[in-house]
Amino acid sequence: MAVLGRSDVNGNDMIENLIAARKSLKLSLEKSKALGFALEKAGPRLDEINQRLPSLEAAVRPIRADKEALIAAGGHINRAIGPAAAVLKVFDAVHGLEKSLSDPRNNLAGYLSVLKRLEEALRFLGDNCGLAIQWLDDILEYLEDNVMADEQHLLHLKKSLKGLRESQSDDERARLDGGLLNAALDKLEGELRRLLTEHSVPLPMSSSPDLGEQAVIAPSLLPVSVIHKLQAILGRLRTNNRLEKCMSIYVEVRSSNVRASLQALDLDYLEISIAEFNDVQSIEGYIAQWGKHLEFAVKHLFEAEYKLCNDVFERIGLDVCMGCFSKIAAHTGIVAFLQFGKTVTESKKDPIKLLKLLDIFASLNRLRLDFNRLFGGAACIEIQNLTRDLIKRVIDGAAEIFWELLVQVELQRQIPPPPDGNVPILVSIITDYCNKLLGDNYKPILNQVLLIHRSWKREKFQERILVSEVLNIVKAIELNLETWTKAYEDSIISNLFAMNNHYHLYKHLKGTKVGDLLGDSWFREHEQYKDYYAAIFLRDSWGKLPGHLSREGLILFSGGRATARDLVKKRLKNFNEAFDEMYKRQSSWVVPDRDLRDKICQQIVQAVVPVYRSYMQSYGPLVELDGSSSKYAKYSVQTLEQMLSSLFLPKPGRYASFKGRQLSAKFNNGVADLRRTTSAVV
């Protein structure tokens, strides 16, 4: 029992020990597990600590730096922070101005004031950013030299400072405000355009060619208040290097306005080609319009634009003013006006062209002072060159045609006379032409043109040279008429031709400037010639008809009634045949002057009709009872008188040149191409 008892006690102790050991192991395992878990969690923390060690090292590095270096670093930092802080403060102020730059239309003065402050702020930023960057560069260099900052941190600072330095270029500096200034200036340009557009109103004009009745243009086309606003806007935009854009806007708007003003004048003819000017039907009317339109454009439109340019740009300078004005003038038609004149000078030569060239010269001469004042600056050099070239062409062309007139008239002498006995176009044109050249309208102009032309050749010119040349042309016409009179094979139409032309010279030159130079004896001579040839014409033609109505052998009816009837029939037949032949031949002849035609027809009627009436009253009954009476009593007295009174009427389709072109209704004075020498004088 004792042994058993001792054994039981030992067994219980052993179990308790095992249990205790088991608990101890379990506890150890749990601690090991907890420790493992703790170690597992400590790994990332150690990695994190490891990663933070460099920054901690950098943070404590200044503590390890030299004491004197640390003390000096404070001064460097303070010097860098001051400018940088000021720049940042101004930068914040710049963006604070954005709300005040909404619309210049509402308050232009306030807008310009804020804009000026913005410019000043940006100027401060532009001037001081560089200084701040320089101080920051210095502190960076100091930290780097004294190993007082982490290399990564220094690298980041260097990168930032490099970006700041690049922002100091002109293009980048403009973006310091985030584009605020450019946006504000764009709005100001828009306000400039709006003010110009809303106050640029085309002049009210009628399309009537009589432009002299147009109302006088006001001294300025814009209100003074608007001009002041434009000047203020231009000043700000000019400060910001936007003057060229301003000029472009001004020229665009004002040019459009001038073109709209001219639109009512129908200036399409300015684009006409040289080929179209070969047609004389258009040249005279267009040049008359051209002179009036050019004078109106220069004295009213361009004059007003010139003054307005001076008013708007007076604070900027004359060069800018003239630059804008020259572009407006060029864009709105002055060049087209001058080109039209050049086109006229390049058209073919003929007498009417001389008068038209003189018209062009007169228009340009009237505007000479205006041209010199408006277009005399260096900016208008193109207009000056075109004007000088046109004047030279006009003077050369007019002088050339004038000095060739006499030769060309002489050359026409070789051409056959008109087959209808009419006054040749050459005679009609040249007589009227000479009257105009020596008239009050053209003589002073032609004298001036010839004087200038001779001066270019260093030759003298006197007024008597012009008069002498015109008189020589008239003498050449007289010689032409003498030659043409002798050229007819039929002497009767030769006499009619001579009568027509002597009377034409008498009537169309008497009482004129040319006529005063020719003298009274010259006119008496031509009047006598007219009467002489009229008498010869009547005697040798219609004056012979009454001879066919002889009463010989009929007075006493000596041969009986039948014999008398036969004689009457024979004589009436001969009269009718002679009348028909003469009437047929002369029905195509012409006496162009109405008074002369009525007179010569009346003389023919007086020579023929009374004799015919008396004869028919006396002997008509002898043939009227005959069955064939209509063969002999062919015409009644009334019919005969009507036929004779209707002779020599002008035919439609009169020609205006020696080439046989039909005269246009537009031109009353005709036109002749004196270079042609192979066509009939019509």
Side-chain angles (χ1 to χ4, degrees):
M1 279 298 284
V3 174
L4 181 60
R6 197 180 299 121
S7 300
D8 289 338
V9 172
N10 291 334
N12 289 333
D13 291 338
M14 188 177 295
I15 290 172
E16 289 176 359
N17 290 333
L18 286 172
I19 292 172
R22 183 171 66 89
K23 289 181 179 180
S24 177
L25 283 172
K26 184 177 180 182
L27 183 60
S28 297
L29 286 173
E30 289 177 353
K31 288 182 178 181
S32 297
K33 186 177 180 180
L35 181 59
F37 182 73
L39 289 174
E40 185 178 350
K41 289 181 63 177
R45 292 181 62 191
L46 290 173
D47 291 339
E48 183 181 353
I49 292 171
N50 189 51
Q51 291 176 1
R52 292 177 61 187
L53 282 175
S55 60
L56 291 173
E57 182 183 3
V60 300
R61 185 171 296 163
I63 301 175
R64 300 184 333 199
D66 184 72
K67 181 179 180 181
E68 294 180 357
L70 287 173
I71 295 173
H76 284 286
I77 292 172
N78 290 336
R79 282 194 297 271
I81 292 300
V87 167
L88 290 174
K89 185 177 180 180
V90 173
F91 189 78
D92 290 337
V94 164
H95 287 278
L97 297 175
E98 185 171 1
K99 294 181 180 179
S100 302
L101 294 171
S102 57
D103 188 356
R105 182 173 185 173
N106 298 329
N107 181 7
L108 180 61
Y111 188 93
L112 293 174
S113 176
V114 173
L115 183 59
K116 185 176 181 181
R117 288 164 54 196
L118 174 61
E119 293 169 11
E120 292 172 350
L122 292 177
R123 195 157 44 245
F124 176 86
L125 289 177
D127 294 341
N128 289 277
C129 274
L131 180 61
I133 291 171
Q134 182 179 349
W135 284 110
L136 290 173
D137 267 334
D138 290 343
I139 188 60
L140 178 61
E141 182 180 354
Y142 184 85
L143 293 175
E144 188 175 20
D145 290 344
N146 291 277
V147 196
M148 297 179 67
D150 179 60
E151 291 183 1
Q152 293 295 325
H153 185 60
L154 292 175
L155 186 61
H156 179 69
L157 286 175
K158 288 181 179 180
K159 185 176 180 180
S160 299
L161 288 176
K162 180 181 179 183
L164 288 174
R165 276 192 295 270
E166 290 175 351
S167 71
Q168 293 302 289
S169 64
D170 292 337
D171 293 339
E172 294 296 329
R173 185 178 295 184
R175 289 191 290 208
L176 287 174
D177 61 344
L180 179 60
L181 179 61
N182 280 335
L185 294 174
D186 289 342
K187 290 180 182 179
L188 204 55
E189 287 179 356
E191 179 65 4
L192 174 70
R193 181 182 294 275
R194 185 192 69 81
L195 286 171
L196 285 170
T197 302
E198 290 187 0
H199 295 88
S200 294
V201 181
L203 295 179
M205 295 184 297
S206 98
S207 57
S208 169
D210 189 3
L211 299 175
E213 298 179 359
Q214 291 290 339
V216 177
I217 307 301
S220 177
L221 296 178
L222 297 182
V224 175
S225 60
V226 174
I227 291 178
H228 289 165
K229 289 181 179 180
L230 294 175
Q231 290 174 336
I233 292 174
L234 288 170
R236 290 264 56 84
L237 291 173
R238 181 193 185 192
T239 302
N240 289 276
N241 299 319
R242 292 204 178 194
L243 184 57
E244 287 294 331
K245 184 66 180 296
C246 294
M247 294 171 63
S248 176
I249 293 173
Y250 183 89
V251 170
E252 176 189 344
V253 175
R254 294 305 303 175
S255 295
S256 176
N257 189 68
V258 174
R259 282 193 295 269
S261 298
L262 290 173
Q263 190 172 4
L265 300 182
D266 189 15
L267 299 178
D268 291 343
Y269 68 88
L270 295 179
E271 305 300 326
I272 199 167
S273 67
I274 297 175
E276 292 174 276
F277 260 112
N278 283 330
D279 180 5
V280 298
Q281 295 182 10
S282 60
I283 184 173
E284 187 171 17
Y286 284 151
I287 293 178
Q289 293 180 57
W290 178 86
K292 293 178 180 179
H293 291 164
L294 177 62
E295 184 169 354
F296 177 81
V298 170
K299 286 186 172 294
H300 294 286
L301 294 180
F302 294 134
E303 175 70 32
E305 290 302 322
Y306 179 82
K307 186 180 187 308
L308 185 60
C309 281
N310 276 297
D311 290 344
V312 172
F313 294 101
E314 65 176 346
R315 298 178 183 175
I316 296 179
L318 183 61
D319 290 345
V320 173
C321 165
M322 290 306 300
C324 286
F325 174 72
S326 67
K327 291 177 182 177
I328 292 172
H331 292 171
T332 55
I334 189 64
V335 173
F337 274 109
L338 298 174
Q339 182 59 46
F340 174 84
K342 180 182 177 183
T343 301
V344 176
T345 66
E346 293 174 343
S347 62
K348 71 175 186 178
K349 292 186 293 185
D350 54 42
I352 190 65
K353 180 181 175 181
L354 171 56
L355 298 180
K356 297 304 104 184
L357 290 178
L358 294 179
D359 287 340
I360 291 176
F361 179 83
S363 296
L364 293 173
N365 196 46
R366 283 194 300 271
L367 297 172
R368 179 169 54 88
L369 296 179
D370 299 282
F371 262 73
N372 290 340
R373 180 170 49 83
L374 298 178
F375 308 116
C380 298
I381 189 65
E382 179 188 4
I383 297 174
Q384 295 169 26
N385 291 337
L386 289 173
T387 305
R388 280 193 291 265
D389 178 67
L390 175 57
I391 293 174
K392 187 176 189 308
R393 286 172 175 270
V394 167
I395 291 175
D396 286 342
E400 182 180 2
I401 294 175
F402 176 76
W403 294 118
E404 286 182 358
L405 279 176
L406 177 58
V407 175
Q408 299 299 336
V409 169
E410 292 172 344
L411 289 174
Q412 296 298 316
R413 200 171 297 159
Q414 307 168 18
I415 299 173
D420 58 2
N422 201 346
V423 177
I425 286 293
L426 172 68
V427 177
S428 299
I429 289 178
I430 295 301
T431 51
D432 180 62
Y433 201 65
C434 290
N435 282 332
K436 289 185 176 181
L437 292 181
L438 292 186
D440 294 335
N441 291 333
Y442 283 110
K443 184 180 178 182
I445 304 171
L446 183 55
N447 268 326
Q448 189 175 0
V449 166
L450 297 178
L451 175 63
I452 295 172
H453 189 258
R454 288 253 175 147
S455 69
W456 289 347
K457 296 182 176 181
R458 301 186 182 280
E459 298 175 356
K460 293 183 178 180
F461 175 79
Q462 296 178 345
E463 185 176 334
R464 61 180 177 80
I465 297 178
L466 170 59
V467 173
S468 176
E469 188 71 10
V470 171
L471 292 179
N472 287 336
I473 292 173
V474 175
K475 291 178 183 178
I477 289 292
E478 291 183 285
L479 290 175
N480 284 13
L481 293 177
E482 183 179 341
T483 302
W484 290 331
T485 300
K486 296 176 181 178
Y488 288 102
E489 295 181 359
D490 184 348
S491 62
I492 295 176
I493 191 173
S494 174
N495 292 328
L496 180 76
F497 173 81
M499 175 195 72
N500 277 333
N501 284 277
H502 283 291
Y503 184 70
H504 178 87
L505 293 178
Y506 172 84
K507 181 176 181 178
H508 288 271
L509 292 179
K510 191 171 181 62
T512 66
K513 298 290 185 179
V514 177
D516 294 342
L517 296 171
L518 293 169
D520 293 338
S521 61
W522 187 90
F523 286 100
R524 283 195 299 270
E525 180 180 343
H526 281 279
E527 187 176 26
Q528 291 169 1
Y529 273 127
K530 181 264 297 182
D531 294 337
Y532 170 77
Y533 284 112
I536 297 298
F537 166 76
L538 187 63
R539 184 196 69 188
D540 293 346
S541 56
W542 299 100
K544 292 182 177 182
L545 281 182
H548 293 288
L549 300 177
S550 172
R551 294 173 181 263
E552 184 179 352
L554 298 175
I555 297 177
L556 299 176
F557 298 100
S558 57
R561 190 175 183 87
T563 302
R565 182 183 298 112
D566 291 340
L567 283 174
V568 170
K569 286 182 178 181
K570 180 179 179 181
R571 289 170 182 174
L572 283 174
K573 180 181 179 183
N574 291 338
F575 174 86
N576 289 336
E577 289 176 350
F579 176 86
D580 289 344
E581 187 276 332
M582 193 171 299
Y583 184 84
K584 180 180 179 181
R585 183 163 48 132
Q586 296 192 19
S587 62
S588 62
W589 295 359
V590 173
V591 176
D593 184 84
R594 181 176 180 177
D595 293 337
L596 181 60
R597 182 172 62 251
D598 290 346
K599 182 178 180 180
I600 199 69
C601 286
Q602 185 61 32
Q603 289 177 350
I604 294 173
V605 168
Q606 290 174 357
V608 176
V609 172
V611 175
Y612 184 75
R613 180 188 295 111
S614 175
Y615 195 83
M616 292 303 292
Q617 287 174 349
S618 299
Y619 307 113
L622 291 175
V623 296
E624 288 174 354
L625 299 177
D626 191 282
S628 60
S629 62
S630 61
K631 291 174 56 179
Y632 306 104
K634 188 174 181 180
Y635 300 107
S636 67
V637 173
Q638 292 79 6
T639 300
L640 196 69
E641 185 172 356
Q642 288 176 356
M643 292 176 67
L644 293 174
S645 298
S646 64
L647 282 170
F648 312 126
L649 291 172
K651 305 301 185 292
R654 189 85 163 112
Y655 292 96
S657 96
F658 302 138
K659 296 192 298 181
R661 290 186 298 173
Q662 190 170 358
L663 176 62
S664 166
K666 286 187 178 182
F667 304 101
N668 295 324
N669 57 351
V671 60
D673 184 351
L674 295 183
R675 295 173 298 170
R676 305 290 294 185
T677 58
T678 59
S679 306
V681 179
V682 295

